[in-house]
Amino acid sequence: MAARILIVEDEAPLTELLRYNLAAEGYEVETAMRGDEAEIRLKETPPDLVVLDWMLPGMSGIELCRRLRARTETERLPIIMLTARGEESERVRGLATGADDYIVKPFSVPELLARIRALLRRARPERVAAMLEAGDILLDRETKRVARSGREIHLGPTEFRLLEFLMQSPGRVFTRGQLLDGVWGRDVYIDERTVDVHVGRLRRALNRGRAPDPIRTVRGSGYSFDERFGRAS
Ligand code: CA
C-alpha cells in the first residue's frame, strides 16, 4: 500500500510541482492550501506524512504543528516543515514545536524526496520498499547490497547511492546538478564532472561482460535509469 502524503502549502505552483513528483514516486498525494483546512482534514484521516509550509493563511504551519503534537492520534505523525530562507531562529522554533525535519526554500525536489523517504523509513518502515528491482538487478536498501543475475556486485558507497537514486525513478532524466543534490547533498560543492566519474565506475561494476547497460546518458541533459531495462529482453 502506498504511503499517503498531505502537502499543506498556499503557493499553488509549488504544490503542483510537489504533487507531480511525489505521485511519480508512487505516493498517494493530497493537498490543502490553508492551515485551518488542513487541521480538519488531519482529524478525519491522518496521512503517513505531512509536508507543512510555515506561512499559511487560516493558521500558521507552526501553530498547526503544535496542535498536531498535542493530540494523541497525531503526536507521532512525521512532519517536514518548509521554511523560507532567513528564518533561522524560526527554524529552530519549528523543530522545538515538534517538526521532525525542515527544509529551506528554495529547495531541490530530489532533496525533499530523499528527506521524505528517510523519515518514512524511520516512521513507517513497512511502507517503503526495502528492495528495488529492475530486470536482473536487485538492490537491497537495508543491507546495502546489489546483485545482478544473482551475483553480488561490489559498489562503493557513492556508487550505491547513485544507483539507488536512479533506480527509484526509472525513466526520469536527472541533470548532473540534480544528481549532486540528491546523492551528494545540497550543500556540497563539487564539480559536476565528478558525477561522470562515478557513473563510469558504477557502469564498470554493473556491466560485466556483455551485460546490457541500464544507465542511459542523455546528451546535453544528464543520466537516467532506462525504464525499458529488463523488459525488452
Ligand atoms: Ca506559504
Side-chain angles (χ1 to χ4, degrees), residues 9-11 53 55 105:
E9 166 61 75
D10 57 325
E11 286 168 51
D53 186 31
M55 298 292 283
K105 293 179 186 176

Side-chain angles (χ1 to χ4, degrees), residues 101-127:
D101 201 357
Y102 65 84
I103 192 158
V104 182
K105 293 179 186 176
F107 52 82
S108 78
V109 171
E111 188 185 352
L112 177 65
L113 294 177
R115 303 272 192 99
I116 287 175
R117 225 175 285 123
L119 196 50
L120 279 175
R121 206 175 296 150
R122 284 210 304 272
R124 299 265 198 283
E126 74 284 3
R127 297 287 182 92

